[in-house]
């Protein structure tokens, strides 16, 4: 059973590659700066946000722009990939009606495309780290843990919402509201300590993205090895969402054709 | 000796839940739930259809609109799962995708050939090896690096047909696509299908052109409202169908 799934995936791996390449080509074709936009975009956003919020906020965050840009690129990866994945199956309806293709390819492709963009924008973080002369530290190598488990979380989450969106198209609009709320509940521009004493703190604590952003920062800015708890939480959210996503997707996928 | 069975359709029933209004948003779902209007009307698109296609057969599906022809094709190619019964295809299936379905308008013809090939499940190595053949058949040598959106519909159809038939599949599925393009292109398509037939490819065609069915097929399945009216020799059934 599992072997058959892996074989099908092997067969359609080339399609996955092609679809990602297509998205990359379409995104950067006819733009003079090309891939450099993935680098410039977060840097420009960071300048604006840090200029404004370093005046608005009272709390002192060391290297605030660096703090900001990390939260920002991780969140915008999650935002872009899930927001485009949610409608990916509906968009591919003309194909789904004509050819047999494993349908998880479509949301998976959107998330992987978002991930490629995230990788492209990591040099922006490196630039800021050099600017602030953050000393190199072995614990920086542990960013792979939050990076890969965040990818898993995004894949699992996208599988669920893209499948539901086939049946309820207006989820797409609902999600754009939800993702904005989600952004404010993630410590991107403020520190977690700012929420202490309020019930909001607990909401932000349960929020998976909080854990990924913090683990990433701990490794890159503060040079600390990840503690056991955040390792398990990151892995836990990633694995559980991937499993739930795969199972619910599998259960719903045969009905897609009747609704797309 | 009888030739091996390539497609085995056993007692296939396809039931759709046709709500009188199609509910596809949460808002509507809740409104109808509140008003107690969420009833479903079941609709049988196919009702106990069984038949077998043998190697080298060219089967035409005929019937009026809504008789279940396209649903049958979708079930054979694995796009839909039947409510009851089973449809098993032995071998590789290549569907002739309708014009443009597998193309991305912003990509060039060259990129689209690879994209479309991968949609059909072919590997990069395979696409490399057949690339020239596809270009030759579609006669688009001078347009390879132009985005597909600047192509005429005939050019797109030529490209689509060339990609789908380059494989020598065990089973080729053709859904109304032959009705596009100029008469020269249609002739070329028919010639290609005949070539495939001599290669022992099994072909399943849906077409409203009864002449086309008569000239290409040796077997015909006549469907009406989801039920098999007749299955058998092409010429006899076509005659009957025309007089019906």
């Amino acid at each position: 059973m599992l072997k058959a799934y892996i074989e099908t995936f092997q067969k359609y791996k080339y399609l996955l590659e092609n679809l990602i390449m297509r998205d990359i080509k379409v995104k950067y074709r006819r733009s003079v700066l090309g891939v450099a936009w993935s680098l410039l975009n977060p840097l420009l956003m960071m300048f604006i946000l840090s200029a404004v919020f370093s005046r608005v906020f009272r709390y002192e965050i060391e290297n605030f722009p660096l703090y900001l840009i990390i939260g920002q690129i991780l969140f915008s990866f999650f935002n872009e990939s899930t927001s485009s994945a949610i409608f990916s199956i509906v968009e591919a309806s003309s194909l789904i009606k004509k050819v047999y293709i494993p349908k998880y390819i479509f949301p998976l492709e959107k998330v992987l495309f978002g991930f490629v963009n995230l990788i492209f924008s990591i040099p922006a973080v490196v630039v800021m780290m050099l600017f602030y002369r953050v000393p190199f530290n072995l614990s920086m190598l542990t960013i792979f843990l939050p990076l890969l488990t965040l990818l898993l979380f995004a894949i699992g989450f996208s599988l669920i919402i893209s499948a539901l969106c086939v049946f309820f198209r207006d989820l797409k609009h609902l999600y754009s509201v939800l993702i904005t709320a989600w952004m404010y509940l993630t410590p991107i521009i403020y520190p977690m300590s700012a929420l202490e004493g309020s019930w909001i703190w607990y909401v932000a604590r349960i929020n998976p993205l909080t854990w990924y952003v913090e683990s990433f920062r701990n490794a890159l800015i503060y040079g600390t090895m990840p503690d056991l708890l955040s390792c398990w939480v990151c892995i836990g959210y990633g694995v559980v969402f991937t499993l739930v996503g795969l199972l619910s997707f599998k259960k719903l996928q045969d009905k897609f054709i009747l609704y797309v | 000796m009888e030739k091996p069975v390539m497609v085995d359709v056993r007692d296939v029933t396809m039931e759709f839940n046709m709500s009188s209004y199609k509910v596809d948003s949460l808002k509507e779902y809740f409104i109808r739930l509140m008003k107690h209007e969420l009833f479903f009307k079941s609709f049988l698109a196919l009702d106990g259809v069984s038949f077998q296609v043998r190697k080298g057969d060219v089967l035409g599906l005929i019937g009026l609109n809504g008789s279940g022809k396209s649903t049958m094709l979708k079930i054979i190619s694995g796009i839909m799962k039947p409510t009851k019964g089973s449809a098993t295809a032995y071998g590789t299936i290549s569907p002739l995708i309708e014009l443009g379905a597998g193309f991305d308008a912003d990509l060039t013809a060259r990129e689209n050939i690879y994209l479309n090939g991968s949609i059909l499940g072919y590997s990069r190595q395979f696409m490399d090896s057949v690339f020239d053949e596809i270009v030759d058949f579609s006669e688009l040598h001078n347009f390879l690096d132009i985005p597909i959106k600047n192509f005429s519909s005939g050019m797109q159809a030529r490209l689509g047909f060339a990609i789908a038939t380059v494989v020598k599949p065990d089973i080729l599925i053709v859904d109304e696509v032959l009705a596009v393009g100029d008469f020269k292109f249609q002739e070329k398509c028919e010639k290609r299908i005949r070539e495939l037939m001599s290669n022992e490819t099994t072909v399943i065609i849906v077409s409203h052109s009864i002449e086309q069915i008569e000239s290409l097929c040796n077997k015909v399945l006549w469907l009406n409202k989801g039920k098999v009216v007749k299955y058998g020799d092409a010429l006899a059934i076509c005659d009957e169908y025309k007089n019906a």
Side-chain angles (χ1 to χ4, degrees):
Chain A
M1 192 70 168
L2 195 65
K3 197 170 157 246
Y5 283 124
I6 294 170
E7 270 168 17
T8 336
F9 181 73
Q10 287 285 344
K11 185 177 170 194
Y12 285 95
K13 214 172 60 186
Y14 179 49
L15 171 63
L16 196 59
E17 273 169 44
N18 262 331
L19 290 174
I20 296 172
M21 282 312 289
R22 175 196 66 180
D23 278 357
I24 293 174
K25 280 177 190 157
V26 171
K27 181 171 179 185
Y28 295 112
R29 184 159 287 174
R30 266 179 269 113
S31 85
V32 187
L33 291 176
V35 184
W37 274 118
S38 286
L39 229 141
L40 279 177
N41 220 329
L43 282 174
L44 292 174
M45 272 308 277
M46 180 202 69
F47 280 124
I48 300 164
L49 288 176
S50 61
V52 173
F53 284 98
S54 58
R55 300 213 161 257
V56 174
F57 287 157
R58 285 160 290 127
Y59 11 86
E60 284 296 311
I61 300 175
E62 199 192 345
N63 304 343
F64 185 55
L66 180 57
Y67 180 92
L68 203 63
I69 199 170
I70 289 176
Q72 206 186 299
I73 61 162
L74 291 185
F75 190 84
S76 62
F77 153 68
F78 188 76
N79 179 7
E80 277 166 27
S81 52
T82 53
S83 298
S84 55
I86 191 168
F87 224 51
S88 60
I89 294 172
V90 180
E91 263 172 5
S93 63
S94 60
L95 270 187
I96 289 174
K97 283 183 199 161
K98 297 289 167 216
V99 208
Y100 172 77
I101 300 174
K103 287 155 215 38
Y104 62 80
I105 291 281
F106 300 107
L108 181 62
E109 186 267 320
K110 291 297 176 200
V111 178
L112 290 178
F113 171 58
F115 197 70
V116 171
N117 283 326
L118 171 63
I119 301 297
F120 282 157
S121 54
I122 282 187
V125 180
V126 177
V127 168
M128 292 314 292
M129 287 171 65
L130 292 175
F131 181 78
Y132 283 108
R133 293 171 210 270
V134 179
F136 178 77
N137 188 311
L138 266 184
S139 63
M140 286 176 183
L141 299 177
T142 62
I143 59 162
F144 287 103
L145 179 82
L147 210 54
L148 293 179
T149 47
L150 171 63
L151 176 63
L152 278 184
F153 174 65
I155 289 173
F157 190 76
S158 296
L159 285 173
I160 300 171
I161 57 174
S162 62
L164 289 178
C165 192
V166 175
F167 305 103
F168 302 111
R169 302 286 164 88
D170 49 353
L171 275 184
K172 193 187 176 209
H173 306 295
L174 201 64
Y175 188 65
S176 67
V177 178
L178 182 80
I179 196 84
T180 313
W182 203 337
M183 184 188 80
Y184 288 111
L185 290 171
T186 310
I188 297 168
I189 29 185
Y190 56 83
M192 270 307 273
S193 59
L195 299 178
E196 252 157 39
S198 158
W199 59 272
I200 293 280
W201 187 87
Y202 295 98
V203 180
R205 204 60 291 176
I206 307 171
N207 175 2
L209 294 181
T210 304
W211 292 86
Y212 295 114
V213 170
E214 285 192 330
S215 305
F216 209 84
R217 276 184 192 137
N218 283 340
L220 281 193
I221 309 183
Y222 310 113
T224 52
M225 280 298 191
D227 59 300
L228 216 54
L229 177 67
S230 36
C231 281
W232 282 117
V233 174
C234 286
I235 295 172
Y237 273 129
V239 172
V240 168
F241 267 83
T242 306
L243 288 180
V244 172
L246 284 173
L247 289 176
S248 50
F249 198 88
K250 186 171 180 295
K251 210 169 147 66
L252 292 171
Q253 65 177 354
D254 288 341
K255 287 195 199 135
F256 289 170
I257 184 78
L258 306 175
Y259 288 83
V260 288
Chain B
M1 201 187 83
E2 285 233 80
K3 288 182 170 167
V5 173
M6 296 302 287
V7 179
D8 191 3
V9 175
R10 276 167 200 259
D11 199 27
V12 161
T13 296
M14 187 74 206
E15 189 181 351
F16 289 114
N17 271 336
M18 296 286 279
S19 47
S20 29
Y21 302 94
K22 203 174 177 197
V23 180
D24 64 358
S25 75
L26 265 183
K27 185 191 78 186
E28 231 176 300
Y29 183 81
F30 282 114
I31 291 173
R32 296 203 180 281
L33 195 69
M34 304 289 253
K35 289 179 164 174
H36 303 286
E37 277 182 8
L38 262 185
F39 28 68
F40 293 103
K41 217 164 58 186
S42 86
F43 164 77
L44 282 182
L46 291 172
D47 189 1
V49 176
S50 304
F51 63 93
Q52 287 181 333
V53 189
R54 292 183 183 276
K55 198 174 169 97
D57 274 352
V58 179
L59 172 72
L61 297 185
I62 56 173
L64 303 174
N65 282 331
S67 55
K69 304 184 297 283
S70 293
T71 309
M72 196 65 245
L73 282 193
K74 282 179 182 156
I75 288 174
I76 293 173
S77 44
I79 299 168
M80 274 186 186
K81 283 203 176 150
T83 325
K84 258 189 284 176
S86 69
T88 325
Y90 300 94
T92 54
I93 298 188
S94 175
L96 249 183
I97 312 179
E98 225 166 63
L99 250 186
F103 291 137
D104 188 294
D106 284 318
L107 296 184
T108 65
R110 186 190 302 276
E111 290 161 341
N112 265 305
I113 290 175
Y114 283 92
L115 178 64
N116 214 289
S118 61
I119 285 171
L120 298 173
Y122 307 137
S123 67
R124 184 198 313 272
Q125 292 82 348
F126 178 78
M127 289 312 289
D128 282 339
S129 69
V130 295
F131 185 82
D132 291 334
E133 199 184 325
I134 292 172
V135 177
D136 285 342
F137 186 85
S138 58
E139 300 167 12
L140 293 171
H141 301 87
N142 299 327
F143 305 97
L144 275 179
D145 294 303
I146 293 175
I148 286 264
K149 62 183 169 198
N150 300 336
F151 276 29
S152 72
S153 57
M155 286 158 92
Q156 288 192 19
R158 258 150 50 191
L159 194 57
F161 189 86
I163 298 169
T165 53
V166 78
V167 277
K168 319 273 182 295
D170 298 327
I171 303 162
L172 177 72
I173 289 184
V174 185
D175 186 1
E176 300 280 9
V177 241
L178 297 185
V180 294
D182 53 31
F183 76 100
K184 262 203 156 153
F185 174 66
Q186 287 192 20
E187 266 173 22
K188 206 169 170 184
C189 291
E190 284 198 23
K191 211 179 117 206
R192 188 68 171 255
I193 288 182
R194 281 180 212 283
E195 257 173 52
L196 288 171
M197 280 153 56
S198 58
N199 274 334
E200 296 276 271
T201 298
T202 306
V203 185
I204 302 178
I205 301 177
V206 164
S207 174
H208 279 292
S209 152
I210 197 79
E211 288 77 26
Q212 207 165 39
I213 299 265
E214 269 181 324
S215 78
L216 283 171
C217 303
N218 66 335
K219 288 270 182 68
V220 161
L221 178 73
W222 178 3
L223 288 171
N224 188 27
K225 293 190 177 144
K227 289 201 167 109
V228 179
V229 181
K230 279 236 159 76
Y231 176 54
D233 181 57
L235 289 176
I237 296 181
C238 283
D239 271 344
E240 214 176 316
Y241 179 72
K242 275 189 278 191
N243 296 326

